[in-house]
Amino acid sequence: MTLDQLEPTHRGRVTALTAPAGLLQRLMQLGLLEGTEVECIRRAPAGDPIEFRLLGYALSLRRDEARFVQVEAVS
Amino acid sequence: MSVATAELGVDEERLPLIVTVGNPNTGKSTLFNLLTGLRQKVGNYPGVTVERHVGETTLGGRRVQLVDLPGTYSLSAHSPDEMVAVDVLLGRIGDLGRPDAIVVVVDASNLRRNLYIASQVLELGIPVVVALNMVDLAESRGIRIAAARLAEHLSCPVVPLVASRGKGIDALKSTLADTLKTNPVPFVSFSTTIRHAAAALARELAPAGEPLDPYEVERALIDEGGYAETRLQQRFGAAAKAALGGVRAELATGGSLAALDARARYAWINHAVDGVETRGAARTTTSDRIDRAVGHPVLGTLLFLLLMAAVFQSVFAWAAPLMDLIDGAAAATSDWIKATLPAGAIASLLADGVVAGVGSVVVFLPQILILFAFIIFLEDSGYMARAAFLMDRLMRWCGLSGQSFIPMLSSFACAVPGIMGTRVIADPRDRLATILAAPFMTCSARLPVYALLISAFVPARSYLGGLVNLQGLVLLGLYLLGIAGGVLTAFLLKRSLLRGPTPPFLMELPPYRLPNLKSVLYRMWERARMFLVRAGTIIFTVAIVVWALAYFPHWDATTQRFAAERAQAAQTLSGEELDAASADIDHREAATHLEESLLGHIGRAVAPVFRPLGWDWKISAAVLASFPAREVVIAVLGTIYAVGADVDAESPGLVARIRASEWPDGTKVFSLAVALGLMVFYAFCLQCAATVATISRETNSWRWPAFAWLYMSLLGYLTAFVVYRLAS
Ligand SMILES: Nc1nc2c(ncn2[C@@H]2O[C@H](COP(=O)(O)OP(=O)(O)OP(=O)(O)O)[C@@H](O)[C@H]2O)c(=O)[nH]1
Ligand SMILES: [Mg+2]
């Protein structure tokens, strides 16, 4: 499953990143790397971008960026 | 030998330098202001438009210099703008020199992500002090951090702080004083392999004698596609890029060096934090509760629209009494000067040039303050990022991102900081499109023009029991018109001249905070000062020049002719008849002088160009004079109508004078159609020398500002023509 498919209030753990170089580095520096737990908070009214919570802060990503983050569901 | 003496010379003169770095919104500037007070120099870094804040303070009896860097999540730069932090830390900014100590400001409520940049700074070989700020916020969320244990892990002092309340500042000061004395260099290093490879590559790339900091090469190696790489390539050619690629492939064996680096740092961070941070059970904070309402698709959108409408209504309603006060004071001063000084050029210069000109601009200070109070409040409270979140989809429709929203929104105050703010936009095409769209946003200089014309020509009708008034609606309409102009411009540019792939949009949504009153007031004062300095220089100069153009040559023959007429009237008439005749003579004398003036000649020469818009030569002259700075039009109109004095003394306001202005055939110049056309002209036309200069600097060309100026001026003229025709 990829991060953009995570439903609001659901949580996932990052398993892999498939983003191209520049985006990959930005995502990882913000803490989106293997093992990080991410919760989907809400989607914007238009369904995009999406707000996530990780490491105790809130980050907004577009669908097209969240697609590059593989997650497994966490209960 | 000469190098050694030069270095000694520098060391003797230069104060020790302390730099504050850290993530955005962690309280760096709050801390900086606390340490330096209000005695700071604000300028720009050479070549880029990142604001440079430099101040001084005393630490342990020693003067030191402080520099406040803009917030950043890491030292990996993707634009010239982000590179400034690296350059300051490496001592590459000429007059600052290499820092003697670095204060990393860290948000205690968000320790892990904040320690990322700390991990990078700790490697620089410069003494570091970690300011563990926002301890109050962390505690309110049940987060406790053992500062002493964290210090052990980081191998540098850690000082807990609540910068907004000044708590812990003394401990920080004494720690910094100690640090400057003992100079303890942290011993953190993540990859000696990368470090050695970078040093070797630096020697290989740079010809003997040409300085190249190995750390710059290290950044270029790790930040694939980043700005450090671009800069090396510019300096040493395509060979540099190939060499970097070769070393990267060797070091990362198939993977990404950037990813390896980031993983190593977070592993170190997790290790450090696991031992020192304790978190209570996660609780729902007030911020979360607010977010649930604000983030609600329907409620949130309604709230956004309501907020924006409230801003515009209050800018009009609340400012009015203060503006009346300033207006009255200016008129009284003017009258007092005329009564005290003998009639002539000096009295006219002071009363009609200086006081009337500057007064009619300063009168809009209340509106600017109210607008900025809102903007700063929205920014500091954390709502601005939510607005960008809400607007991203919409902005993307015109080819931009939510990132463009904030520069665009700042442009409502002034396009100059807005355009400068576009440096945060990583994608050059998005940035250029935003720069060209920004001057369409209704800036505070347009506001006075709108305010004057609306109060003069739009009836003050209210609806819904006084909740909504027609004047406010027209103002809102003009703001929407500006937005439409900008959005369409960006849309068209992104589909034509600036077509390209979509850049990423990663944005932190900071927790809601009650803004600190002191910092809101301080920033409002900064804006007010900027406006007043502008009013005091450009506008003042233009006001004087325009007064001179309107006053001279002031033919003696004309004065004498009317004096003779007056004398004759005094002989033949008496009582009320005499008063009426004198008033009529005064009126015609002033009008004649004005028509004979230089401004009269220039205005009449260009008037045919503007005739299709319904403008007479006075409007044309005022509009021409306001091309350097649009708000000047008020001052010019004020001067023209004060000099012309073509109304009776009972109605001193500029509004009344403008309303009474007539064509030679006795019909009124200003109709609703002319006023609407004029407002639309001001909505689109690029009448601001500062904006043109800023676009030129930011795009590093004359082509883009020339394009923007021509495009906007033509658009202004054509739309004003269409509106005037449709409305009359
Ligand atoms: N609760 C709390 N708020 C703080 C503290 N320190 C600063 N703030 C507030 O945090 C907000 C941001 O502070 P700034 O000093 O502007 O942050 P900055 O790091 O300079 O931000 P950028 O320049 O945008 O990177 C302001 O509203 C401050 O009043 C603190 O210790 N506790
Ligand atoms: Mg700051």
Side-chain angles (χ1 to χ4, degrees), chain B residues 23-31 68 70-71 133-137 161-164 380 513 515-516 519:
Chain B
N23 285 184
N25 249 311
T26 48
K28 292 177 298 302
S29 302
T30 310
L31 178 62
D68 183 27
N133 196 27
M134 310 242 177
V135 172
D136 57 331
L137 202 71
L161 216 62
V162 182
S164 53
D380 278 13
R513 264 200 285 254
N516 182 287
S519 98

mmCIF file of all heavy atoms in Angstrom, chain B residues 23-31 68 70-71 133-137 161-164 380 513 515-516 519, ligand 1:
data_model
loop_
_atom_site.group_PDB
_atom_site.id
_atom_site.type_symbol
_atom_site.label_atom_id
_atom_site.label_comp_id
_atom_site.label_asym_id
_atom_site.label_seq_id
_atom_site.Cartn_x
_atom_site.Cartn_y
_atom_site.Cartn_z
ATOM 1 N N ASN B 23 15.107 24.950 12.580
ATOM 2 C CA ASN B 23 13.902 24.767 11.758
ATOM 3 C C ASN B 23 13.070 26.049 11.761
ATOM 4 O O ASN B 23 13.204 26.870 12.668
ATOM 5 C CB ASN B 23 13.045 23.623 12.313
ATOM 6 C CG ASN B 23 13.633 22.247 12.007
ATOM 7 O OD1 ASN B 23 13.040 21.234 12.318
ATOM 8 N ND2 ASN B 23 14.807 22.203 11.389
ATOM 9 N N PRO B 24 12.205 26.218 10.762
ATOM 10 C CA PRO B 24 11.299 27.370 10.772
ATOM 11 C C PRO B 24 10.436 27.359 12.034
ATOM 12 O O PRO B 24 10.097 26.278 12.535
ATOM 13 C CB PRO B 24 10.427 27.156 9.532
ATOM 14 C CG PRO B 24 11.222 26.270 8.646
ATOM 15 C CD PRO B 24 12.016 25.397 9.564
ATOM 16 N N ASN B 25 10.118 28.562 12.538
ATOM 17 C CA ASN B 25 9.141 28.686 13.617
ATOM 18 C C ASN B 25 9.571 28.118 14.951
ATOM 19 O O ASN B 25 8.715 27.709 15.742
ATOM 20 C CB ASN B 25 7.852 27.966 13.223
ATOM 21 C CG ASN B 25 6.773 28.965 12.990
ATOM 22 O OD1 ASN B 25 6.568 29.835 13.825
ATOM 23 N ND2 ASN B 25 6.131 28.871 11.858
ATOM 24 N N THR B 26 10.862 28.049 15.220
ATOM 25 C CA THR B 26 11.297 27.470 16.482
ATOM 26 C C THR B 26 11.626 28.562 17.496
ATOM 27 O O THR B 26 11.966 28.264 18.631
ATOM 28 C CB THR B 26 12.551 26.603 16.267
ATOM 29 O OG1 THR B 26 13.489 27.339 15.486
ATOM 30 C CG2 THR B 26 12.189 25.337 15.541
ATOM 31 N N GLY B 27 11.543 29.829 17.073
ATOM 32 C CA GLY B 27 11.808 30.924 18.003
ATOM 33 C C GLY B 27 13.186 31.540 17.847
ATOM 34 O O GLY B 27 13.658 32.234 18.744
ATOM 35 N N LYS B 28 13.816 31.348 16.683
ATOM 36 C CA LYS B 28 15.152 31.930 16.446
ATOM 37 C C LYS B 28 15.110 33.446 16.550
ATOM 38 O O LYS B 28 15.930 34.048 17.223
ATOM 39 C CB LYS B 28 15.669 31.554 15.047
ATOM 40 C CG LYS B 28 15.998 30.097 14.872
ATOM 41 C CD LYS B 28 16.437 29.805 13.457
ATOM 42 C CE LYS B 28 15.355 30.093 12.439
ATOM 43 N NZ LYS B 28 14.116 29.350 12.659
ATOM 44 N N SER B 29 14.148 34.052 15.855
ATOM 45 C CA SER B 29 14.092 35.514 15.853
ATOM 46 C C SER B 29 13.695 36.039 17.225
ATOM 47 O O SER B 29 14.182 37.090 17.652
ATOM 48 C CB SER B 29 13.103 35.994 14.790
ATOM 49 O OG SER B 29 13.503 35.506 13.539
ATOM 50 N N THR B 30 12.804 35.324 17.910
ATOM 51 C CA THR B 30 12.430 35.731 19.266
ATOM 52 C C THR B 30 13.672 35.771 20.146
ATOM 53 O O THR B 30 13.907 36.737 20.879
ATOM 54 C CB THR B 30 11.408 34.735 19.845
ATOM 55 O OG1 THR B 30 10.361 34.558 18.903
ATOM 56 C CG2 THR B 30 10.831 35.226 21.146
ATOM 57 N N LEU B 31 14.484 34.725 20.050
ATOM 58 C CA LEU B 31 15.720 34.641 20.830
ATOM 59 C C LEU B 31 16.695 35.742 20.410
ATOM 60 O O LEU B 31 17.300 36.416 21.250
ATOM 61 C CB LEU B 31 16.348 33.259 20.615
ATOM 62 C CG LEU B 31 17.661 33.002 21.320
ATOM 63 C CD1 LEU B 31 17.479 33.088 22.824
ATOM 64 C CD2 LEU B 31 18.211 31.633 20.941
ATOM 65 N N ASP B 68 21.001 36.224 12.599
ATOM 66 C CA ASP B 68 19.822 35.364 12.653
ATOM 67 C C ASP B 68 19.562 34.815 11.251
ATOM 68 O O ASP B 68 19.314 35.577 10.321
ATOM 69 C CB ASP B 68 18.624 36.212 13.124
ATOM 70 C CG ASP B 68 17.361 35.394 13.280
ATOM 71 O OD1 ASP B 68 17.470 34.178 13.530
ATOM 72 O OD2 ASP B 68 16.263 35.975 13.166
ATOM 73 N N PRO B 70 17.475 32.536 8.334
ATOM 74 C CA PRO B 70 16.102 32.089 8.104
ATOM 75 C C PRO B 70 15.966 30.605 8.447
ATOM 76 O O PRO B 70 16.945 29.855 8.363
ATOM 77 C CB PRO B 70 15.881 32.335 6.613
ATOM 78 C CG PRO B 70 17.218 32.532 6.013
ATOM 79 C CD PRO B 70 18.143 32.962 7.101
ATOM 80 N N GLY B 71 14.751 30.209 8.822
ATOM 81 C CA GLY B 71 14.518 28.826 9.234
ATOM 82 C C GLY B 71 14.714 27.835 8.100
ATOM 83 O O GLY B 71 14.391 28.113 6.945
ATOM 84 N N ASN B 133 14.278 25.132 22.909
ATOM 85 C CA ASN B 133 13.226 26.143 23.093
ATOM 86 C C ASN B 133 11.844 25.497 23.169
ATOM 87 O O ASN B 133 11.684 24.314 22.893
ATOM 88 C CB ASN B 133 13.292 27.136 21.929
ATOM 89 C CG ASN B 133 12.528 28.405 22.232
ATOM 90 O OD1 ASN B 133 12.377 28.780 23.387
ATOM 91 N ND2 ASN B 133 12.034 29.054 21.197
ATOM 92 N N MET B 134 10.850 26.275 23.535
ATOM 93 C CA MET B 134 9.448 25.850 23.585
ATOM 94 C C MET B 134 9.252 24.725 24.595
ATOM 95 O O MET B 134 8.431 23.833 24.390
ATOM 96 C CB MET B 134 8.973 25.359 22.211
ATOM 97 C CG MET B 134 9.281 26.321 21.110
ATOM 98 S SD MET B 134 7.788 26.878 20.361
ATOM 99 C CE MET B 134 8.413 28.023 19.191
ATOM 100 N N VAL B 135 10.014 24.773 25.668
ATOM 101 C CA VAL B 135 9.862 23.769 26.710
ATOM 102 C C VAL B 135 8.437 23.815 27.266
ATOM 103 O O VAL B 135 7.850 22.778 27.604
ATOM 104 C CB VAL B 135 10.908 24.008 27.818
ATOM 105 C CG1 VAL B 135 10.659 23.097 28.998
ATOM 106 C CG2 VAL B 135 12.302 23.776 27.261
ATOM 107 N N ASP B 136 7.861 25.006 27.339
ATOM 108 C CA ASP B 136 6.494 25.140 27.849
ATOM 109 C C ASP B 136 5.503 24.366 26.978
ATOM 110 O O ASP B 136 4.631 23.652 27.468
ATOM 111 C CB ASP B 136 6.097 26.621 27.929
ATOM 112 C CG ASP B 136 6.218 27.341 26.593
ATOM 113 O OD1 ASP B 136 7.070 26.929 25.774
ATOM 114 O OD2 ASP B 136 5.469 28.301 26.359
ATOM 115 N N LEU B 137 5.683 24.495 25.677
ATOM 116 C CA LEU B 137 4.780 23.816 24.741
ATOM 117 C C LEU B 137 4.924 22.299 24.877
ATOM 118 O O LEU B 137 3.934 21.562 24.909
ATOM 119 C CB LEU B 137 5.152 24.249 23.322
ATOM 120 C CG LEU B 137 4.066 24.095 22.278
ATOM 121 C CD1 LEU B 137 2.991 25.133 22.520
ATOM 122 C CD2 LEU B 137 4.658 24.265 20.887
ATOM 123 N N LEU B 161 14.811 26.456 27.322
ATOM 124 C CA LEU B 161 14.471 27.862 27.101
ATOM 125 C C LEU B 161 12.975 28.033 26.849
ATOM 126 O O LEU B 161 12.327 27.150 26.275
ATOM 127 C CB LEU B 161 15.222 28.302 25.842
ATOM 128 C CG LEU B 161 15.780 29.706 25.731
ATOM 129 C CD1 LEU B 161 16.818 29.944 26.801
ATOM 130 C CD2 LEU B 161 16.420 29.880 24.361
ATOM 131 N N VAL B 162 12.425 29.132 27.302
ATOM 132 C CA VAL B 162 11.122 29.579 26.798
ATOM 133 C C VAL B 162 11.356 30.994 26.296
ATOM 134 O O VAL B 162 11.197 31.968 27.027
ATOM 135 C CB VAL B 162 10.024 29.542 27.889
ATOM 136 C CG1 VAL B 162 8.671 29.956 27.315
ATOM 137 C CG2 VAL B 162 9.921 28.145 28.482
ATOM 138 N N ALA B 163 11.769 31.086 25.058
ATOM 139 C CA ALA B 163 12.235 32.371 24.516
ATOM 140 C C ALA B 163 11.156 33.430 24.570
ATOM 141 O O ALA B 163 11.429 34.592 24.874
ATOM 142 C CB ALA B 163 12.726 32.190 23.083
ATOM 143 N N SER B 164 9.898 33.040 24.322
ATOM 144 C CA SER B 164 8.831 34.034 24.261
ATOM 145 C C SER B 164 8.608 34.676 25.634
ATOM 146 O O SER B 164 8.055 35.770 25.716
ATOM 147 C CB SER B 164 7.541 33.390 23.760
ATOM 148 O OG SER B 164 7.242 32.255 24.526
ATOM 149 N N ASP B 380 1.334 34.118 12.481
ATOM 150 C CA ASP B 380 1.870 33.645 13.761
ATOM 151 C C ASP B 380 0.977 32.607 14.417
ATOM 152 O O ASP B 380 1.440 31.798 15.199
ATOM 153 C CB ASP B 380 2.065 34.833 14.713
ATOM 154 C CG ASP B 380 3.360 35.564 14.436
ATOM 155 O OD1 ASP B 380 3.950 35.291 13.375
ATOM 156 O OD2 ASP B 380 3.782 36.393 15.255
ATOM 157 N N ARG B 513 -1.067 28.470 17.646
ATOM 158 C CA ARG B 513 -0.476 29.148 18.788
ATOM 159 C C ARG B 513 -1.160 30.479 18.936
ATOM 160 O O ARG B 513 -1.529 31.098 17.948
ATOM 161 C CB ARG B 513 0.997 29.403 18.506
ATOM 162 C CG ARG B 513 1.914 28.363 19.066
ATOM 163 C CD ARG B 513 3.304 28.938 19.164
ATOM 164 N NE ARG B 513 3.925 29.006 17.859
ATOM 165 C CZ ARG B 513 4.890 28.181 17.453
ATOM 166 N NH1 ARG B 513 5.299 27.232 18.227
ATOM 167 N NH2 ARG B 513 5.438 28.312 16.279
ATOM 168 N N PRO B 515 -0.675 34.082 19.111
ATOM 169 C CA PRO B 515 0.484 34.910 18.774
ATOM 170 C C PRO B 515 0.926 35.760 19.954
ATOM 171 O O PRO B 515 0.104 36.197 20.758
ATOM 172 C CB PRO B 515 -0.034 35.787 17.643
ATOM 173 C CG PRO B 515 -1.165 35.038 17.067
ATOM 174 C CD PRO B 515 -1.791 34.310 18.203
ATOM 175 N N ASN B 516 2.216 35.975 20.033
ATOM 176 C CA ASN B 516 2.800 36.796 21.081
ATOM 177 C C ASN B 516 2.560 38.267 20.744
ATOM 178 O O ASN B 516 2.991 38.753 19.698
ATOM 179 C CB ASN B 516 4.295 36.469 21.133
ATOM 180 C CG ASN B 516 4.992 37.219 22.223
ATOM 181 O OD1 ASN B 516 5.203 38.428 22.106
ATOM 182 N ND2 ASN B 516 5.332 36.523 23.275
ATOM 183 N N SER B 519 5.555 40.430 19.752
ATOM 184 C CA SER B 519 6.169 40.211 18.442
ATOM 185 C C SER B 519 5.233 40.678 17.320
ATOM 186 O O SER B 519 5.686 41.172 16.292
ATOM 187 C CB SER B 519 6.608 38.748 18.282
ATOM 188 O OG SER B 519 5.676 38.001 17.573
HETATM 189 N N1 LIG C 1 5.075 28.720 23.475
HETATM 190 C C1 LIG C 1 6.230 29.253 23.033
HETATM 191 N N2 LIG C 1 6.217 30.030 21.937
HETATM 192 C C2 LIG C 1 7.383 30.565 21.517
HETATM 193 C C3 LIG C 1 8.602 30.322 22.201
HETATM 194 N N3 LIG C 1 9.582 30.984 21.529
HETATM 195 C C4 LIG C 1 9.013 31.600 20.481
HETATM 196 N N4 LIG C 1 7.673 31.358 20.460
HETATM 197 C C5 LIG C 1 6.704 31.841 19.478
HETATM 198 O O1 LIG C 1 6.909 31.117 18.274
HETATM 199 C C6 LIG C 1 6.602 31.937 17.141
HETATM 200 C C7 LIG C 1 7.732 31.902 16.123
HETATM 201 O O2 LIG C 1 8.865 32.559 16.634
HETATM 202 P P1 LIG C 1 9.975 33.198 15.708
HETATM 203 O O3 LIG C 1 11.019 33.731 16.621
HETATM 204 O O4 LIG C 1 9.404 34.099 14.703
HETATM 205 O O5 LIG C 1 10.517 31.889 14.990
HETATM 206 P P2 LIG C 1 11.681 31.771 13.909
HETATM 207 O O6 LIG C 1 12.428 30.550 14.280
HETATM 208 O O7 LIG C 1 12.454 33.028 13.822
HETATM 209 O O8 LIG C 1 10.857 31.505 12.606
HETATM 210 P P3 LIG C 1 11.383 31.609 11.096
HETATM 211 O O9 LIG C 1 12.208 32.866 11.007
HETATM 212 O O10 LIG C 1 10.139 31.629 10.300
HETATM 213 O O11 LIG C 1 12.186 30.388 10.864
HETATM 214 C C8 LIG C 1 6.309 33.312 17.679
HETATM 215 O O12 LIG C 1 4.922 33.482 17.724
HETATM 216 C C9 LIG C 1 6.907 33.281 19.081
HETATM 217 O O13 LIG C 1 6.224 34.157 19.939
HETATM 218 C C10 LIG C 1 8.569 29.497 23.392
HETATM 219 O O14 LIG C 1 9.576 29.228 24.032
HETATM 220 N N5 LIG C 1 7.359 29.001 23.736
#
